[in-house]
Amino acid sequence: MTATIVRLVPQTILAVATLLWPLIVVVVLVVFGRSLLRLLSSAERRGLTVKFGGYEISLRELGEQQWSAVDDLRRQLSALEGRVDRLAPDTSKPARREESVAGLDVERPPLGGTGVLWVDDEPKNNALEIERLERSGVGVKTVKSTEEAMLALSHHRFTLIISDMTRQEAGRLVADAGVQLIRHVRADDAETPIVIYAGRTGIQRYGSAAREAGANLVTASAYELSRKLRQLGLQ
């Protein structure tokens, strides 16, 4: 019993440490949320904008992206807390790195290119993530269509490709544009990691097809995207 407790303590501390900073963010937003919303509404009426990731967006749009990230963070925290509650080390075999409570598996595969190719017909929706990458010294090339993406890939090899799922292509809405992009890329390139980062509706409809086509990650979660970027050494 004592040995089990001794093994459990460092893992629990690691999990709590990982949960602490996002919990602080959530508490601040819960306490000051209404005031922040009033501030954003006032800024929107006055037409105030800020620049992130090379794109100018209104404070209202910035706030909506931040609130979306917070909602996702709350879901992830809930899942992590459940894992901490159920934490019980298996002494029959060594723990696998990818089973760590904090998800801190940082094994980095060899990278065959540089920078990130981000495909989205509304690139400003990803302004915060693009800003974080560029502040980390990672170059990000944004394109708005599969055609533009394939042209970029014909001139440069990227470390990672990120795509949304549904977008306007040649003047028409293509619901599974992300899947089509994956198929085009995988016809010549089986190695470059591809992430589909899209809304939950698109993932529910086409997520399985994207994985079958060769996506390395299909997610609507900013947390999961950030984790993948860390695994690849991009953050």
Side-chain angles (χ1 to χ4, degrees), residues 191-209:
E191 298 180 358
T192 302
I194 303 175
V195 170
I196 293 295
Y197 180 50
R200 297 183 184 280
T201 300
I203 288 177
Q204 288 172 356
R205 294 181 62 186
Y206 301 108
S208 296

Side-chain angles (χ1 to χ4, degrees), residues 5-175:
I5 293 174
V6 169
R7 289 174 180 271
L8 183 60
V9 167
Q11 297 182 52
T12 303
I13 291 174
L14 179 61
V16 171
T18 303
L19 289 169
L20 184 59
W21 73 263
L23 281 173
I24 293 173
V25 174
V26 170
V27 169
V28 169
L29 287 170
V30 169
V31 173
F32 299 104
R34 292 185 178 179
S35 297
L36 287 173
L37 284 175
R38 284 196 297 269
L39 176 61
L40 288 172
S41 297
S42 175
E44 179 72 9
R45 288 194 299 270
R46 288 177 288 170
L48 297 182
T49 62
V50 293
K51 198 167 186 177
F52 274 99
Y55 295 93
E56 188 167 299
I57 60 177
S58 70
L59 291 183
R60 166 65 64 178
E61 291 171 316
L62 178 62
E64 289 173 352
Q65 291 187 40
Q66 290 174 325
W67 278 108
S68 176
V70 169
D71 286 341
D72 173 62
L73 184 58
R74 286 171 175 161
R75 288 191 294 270
Q76 298 293 338
L77 285 173
S78 177
L80 284 171
E81 289 169 339
R83 292 173 67 183
V84 170
D85 291 339
R86 297 191 301 271
L87 184 63
D90 183 358
T91 57
S92 64
K93 58 182 179 181
R96 296 166 58 190
R97 293 183 66 185
E98 62 268 31
E99 293 175 343
S100 62
V101 172
L104 297 178
D105 47 312
V106 291
E107 295 181 5
R108 295 174 181 172
L111 303 181
T114 57
V116 172
L117 176 63
W118 203 312
V119 191
D120 194 314
D121 58 345
E122 293 289 345
K124 70 179 182 179
N125 291 343
N126 309 303
L128 292 178
E129 287 85 359
I130 291 172
E131 178 77 5
R132 291 191 191 101
L133 282 167
E134 292 181 340
R135 288 194 177 204
S136 299
V138 178
V140 180
K141 180 173 180 59
T142 59
V143 297
K144 296 184 177 182
S145 69
T146 298
E147 182 179 357
E148 291 180 10
M150 297 310 297
L151 180 61
L153 289 166
S154 70
H155 295 292
H156 183 79
R157 187 176 179 88
F158 294 87
T159 301
L160 173 67
I161 300 169
I162 304 175
S163 173
D164 59 351
M165 180 63 78
T166 301
R167 55 178 172 263
Q168 292 286 337
E169 297 274 2
R172 65 185 183 90
L173 186 67
V174 181

